[in-house]
Amino acid sequence: MLGALSLLALLLPAALVHAAPQADPSTAAVRAIFEAFHIPEDAHLTFAPTTLLGLTFPEPGAAPVVPFTSEQLPRNATAGPPRFALSDAHASVGRGPFVVAAVDLDAPTPQDPTSAQIRHFLGGDFVLHTGGALANTTPALTEFHQPTPPAGSDPHRYVFLVFKQPPGFAQQTLVNASTSIANFNISSFAEATGLGQPLGGTFIRVGPDPSS
Ligand SMILES: *[C@@H]1O[C@H](CO)[C@@H](O)[C@H](O)[C@H]1NC(C)=O
Ligand SMILES: *[C@@H]1O[C@H](CO)[C@@H](O)[C@H](O)[C@H]1NC(C)=O
Ligand SMILES: *[C@@H]1O[C@H](CO)[C@@H](O)[C@H](O)[C@H]1NC(C)=O
């Protein structure tokens, strides 16, 4: 039985290679890393992924950054907006539509997350394209906000999740463009809108800018 730490050690060399897109090894590995970082309990979710959610940060004039799950990125690599993809999809996930959400579980600090969750992205109507790319066909409910942990904070966990979109999702009234992004609750939002549990996910860790 591979412990969480040896699992991370296996993944570490990938941190050195940002040039080529890379994928997480398996849904079982991603699930183990989510558990090692207490994400299911802190987000009040059941995380039993059947697909791998790919996350890519385009970098102007440089190779895109494709983090592995749990990787710590420098803040300036996370300007986004990120691109999403699905791979290793169990046939049952279908071709969409999907909802993608991103939340910060650790605002303002992991020790005292009084304003968590911060909703960093929420969008529906994502459909799967040939090759695995996900693209939305309608504007996001919450456009992407770059991670901005405050000076002095430990790194935050930014969790990206993909859900099957239920019929009628477009009619939800809990979140619109003027809804505060603070004190969001992805678990209660998923429950209220019929998203169910996530089909897949990934997360990155981002600390404050060295200059801040
Ligand atoms: C981020 O900042 C570091 C240090 O200033 C720099 O070396 C790196 O090139 C920057 N990366 C991006 C994507 O801007
Ligand atoms: C947006 O959602 C908020 C609740 O977050 C609600 O109070 C407000 O009326 C909504 N605005 C519109 C235009 O629907
Ligand atoms: C978020 O919602 C879940 C129910 O889905 C609840 O158990 C949990 O306490 C809520 N978290 C916060 C911080 O309100």
Side-chain angles (χ1 to χ4, degrees):
M1 161 100 192
L2 209 56
L5 282 178
S6 46
L7 201 57
L8 289 175
L10 281 179
L11 292 170
L12 268 178
L16 306 172
V17 189
H18 270 154
Q22 61 209 26
D24 281 312
S26 71
T27 52
V30 170
R31 181 179 186 164
I33 300 169
F34 266 60
E35 285 166 6
F37 281 83
H38 306 288
I39 289 175
E41 64 196 87
D42 290 351
H44 305 278
L45 291 167
T46 299
F47 188 68
T50 54
T51 185
L52 292 169
L53 177 61
L55 176 65
T56 300
F57 289 96
E59 307 294 334
V65 169
V66 186
F68 60 83
T69 296
S70 81
E71 184 169 355
Q72 184 167 342
L73 294 183
R75 180 176 177 273
N76 65 352
T78 62
R83 298 200 201 102
F84 305 112
L86 293 185
S87 66
D88 203 27
H90 192 275
S92 68
V93 303
R95 303 197 68 82
F98 302 103
V99 172
V100 176
V103 295
D104 174 2
L105 299 181
D106 296 318
T109 65
Q111 290 78 10
D112 193 23
T114 49
S115 48
Q117 302 156 6
I118 307 288
R119 190 174 63 258
H120 278 261
F121 180 81
L122 181 63
D125 297 322
F126 278 89
V127 294
L128 192 58
H129 288 257
T130 310
L134 283 178
N136 51 352
T137 53
T138 56
L141 294 162
T142 304
E143 293 294 353
F144 182 68
H145 291 258
Q146 182 175 9
T148 311
S153 173
D154 287 331
H156 292 198
R157 295 164 297 169
Y158 295 87
V159 183
F160 294 78
L161 299 164
V162 60
F163 298 86
K164 190 177 178 67
Q165 180 172 319
F169 182 76
Q171 278 76 54
Q172 69 77 33
T173 54
L174 293 171
V175 170
N176 59 46
S178 47
T179 311
S180 167
I181 62 171
N183 295 117
F184 182 62
N185 186 330
I186 186 61
S187 160
S188 62
F189 179 81
E191 215 167 280
T193 56
L195 294 178
Q197 300 296 341
L199 302 172
T202 185
F203 71 97
I204 54 171
R205 292 176 299 133
V206 182
D209 258 336
S211 54
S212 73

